[in-house]
Amino acid sequence: MNLLLLFDDDFVDAHRVRLTGRRREHVMHVHRAGVGDALVVGRAGGRVGEGTIVRLDDDALELDVVLDREPPPALPLTLVLALPRPKVLNRVLAGATSMGVKRIVLVNAWRVEKSYWKSPRMSVENLLLQRVLGLEQARDTILPSIDVQRFFRPFVERELPELARGSLAVVAHPGARDECPRNVGQPVTLVIGPEGGFIDEEIASLEKAGFAPVSLGERVLRVETAVAALLGRLF
Ligand code: SAH
């Protein structure tokens, strides 16, 4: 945790927060911090600054906070992700959030197993926790949005063209003829396939919606590796 993310409910007055649970435990046992130590803090949706510990015991962590800087700039990227296996989903959400993605769409695809949609990892609480972990990792405060789309075709045909308007629209596909462009200097809408890949019909629908298939080369990468490699290359 490189930043302690604070929410409105944590504030007991304008400059003081009181934390319990995961964050208190982490500061006590991982940071091994004590009264008088300063930590990097940030207010969800707001500024970043310093928190000085005024109390730390088994019940609570209290800090006096000064928020004086803006969080890092966002990545101008919308990530449309075919729902991966729950464990991988956690990693991709936290990873993409730490890289500055602010808009995530989880979409169904032919090779997405139906059970993934019912996983406890799809709970509101877990989807929030993974993004919070990503923000804490990257010292950011702006939570990305998550939009859940259970039906591939209506989403791709009716909503995706509008969502991608004004951006470079690409679908990452290992077999694609064109290579993924570099340092594009413009907003991007990036579609990532499921762990088994998109089927031909899905690639055809995406092409019809204005998406160009692009490849990172002949190595087939894991979803989380592909996302990191694609973002590093596009920006
Ligand atoms: N067996 C599948 C592999 C899918 S990998 C197939 O051959 O299509 C899961 C997703 O990661 C892919 O759908 C794609 O979006 C992305 N990906 C993985 N390796 C890639 C590569 N070399 N180039 C482009 N995208 C890649």
Side-chain angles (χ1 to χ4, degrees):
M1 187 195 288
N2 297 310
L3 169 145
L4 202 55
L5 192 65
L6 308 172
F7 293 86
D8 289 349
D9 288 353
D10 299 324
F11 283 80
V12 291
D13 69 41
H15 301 288
R16 170 137 332 163
V17 294
R18 186 171 191 279
L19 311 178
T20 56
R22 178 185 68 87
R23 292 170 297 171
R24 182 202 68 80
E25 273 158 38
H26 190 92
V27 170
M28 196 160 177
H29 301 299
V30 181
H31 287 269
R32 296 174 187 245
V35 170
D37 289 343
L39 304 172
V40 178
V41 299
R43 188 168 191 151
R47 308 182 92 185
V48 174
E50 235 81 56
T52 305
I53 300 177
V54 294
R55 171 187 170 186
L56 179 54
D57 54 37
D58 289 341
D59 294 324
L61 161 63
E62 289 187 17
L63 304 126
D64 278 341
V65 303
V66 178
L67 301 169
D68 55 4
R69 351 186 245 284
E70 295 306 317
L75 215 58
L77 177 113
T78 297
L79 182 64
V80 179
L81 186 68
L83 189 66
R85 167 159 64 92
K87 236 167 103 175
V88 175
L89 172 69
N90 272 4
R91 294 201 286 261
V92 176
L93 287 181
T97 302
S98 71
M99 293 187 82
V101 175
K102 296 300 174 200
R103 190 168 190 191
I104 300 168
V105 181
L106 299 176
V107 67
N108 194 36
W110 183 254
R111 295 202 179 114
V112 171
E113 269 189 39
K114 280 202 176 63
S115 63
Y116 296 171
W117 291 103
K118 298 200 188 91
S119 157
R121 288 199 167 95
M122 286 299 287
S123 68
V124 172
E125 293 75 19
N126 182 61
L127 296 180
L128 177 63
L129 175 63
Q130 298 312 317
R131 287 174 290 161
V132 167
L133 294 175
L135 293 179
E136 289 177 342
Q137 172 64 39
R139 294 192 168 151
D140 193 355
T141 65
I142 314 292
L143 208 64
S145 64
I146 295 188
D147 178 18
V148 174
Q149 293 285 346
R150 284 288 277 112
F151 302 101
F152 180 87
R153 271 190 76 162
F155 169 68
V156 170
E157 288 172 8
R158 292 189 218 134
E159 294 184 47
L160 195 53
E162 183 56 37
L163 194 141
R165 192 187 298 276
S167 69
L168 176 74
V170 291
V171 49
H173 192 50
R177 245 181 299 113
D178 293 333
E179 70 163 36
C180 178
R182 296 162 200 268
N183 299 320
V184 296
Q186 67 176 107
V188 175
T189 306
L190 170 65
V191 181
I192 306 282
E195 289 173 283
F198 281 126
I199 59 172
D200 292 346
E201 286 86 339
E202 289 169 334
I203 292 293
S205 301
L206 287 162
E207 285 190 281
K208 233 171 125 188
F211 282 73
V214 297
S215 165
L216 285 171
E218 63 190 270
R219 294 172 192 276
V220 176
L221 305 173
R222 287 193 176 173
V223 172
E224 64 264 43
T225 310
V227 171
L230 287 156
L231 298 196
R233 180 142 155 170
L234 288 163
F235 296 99

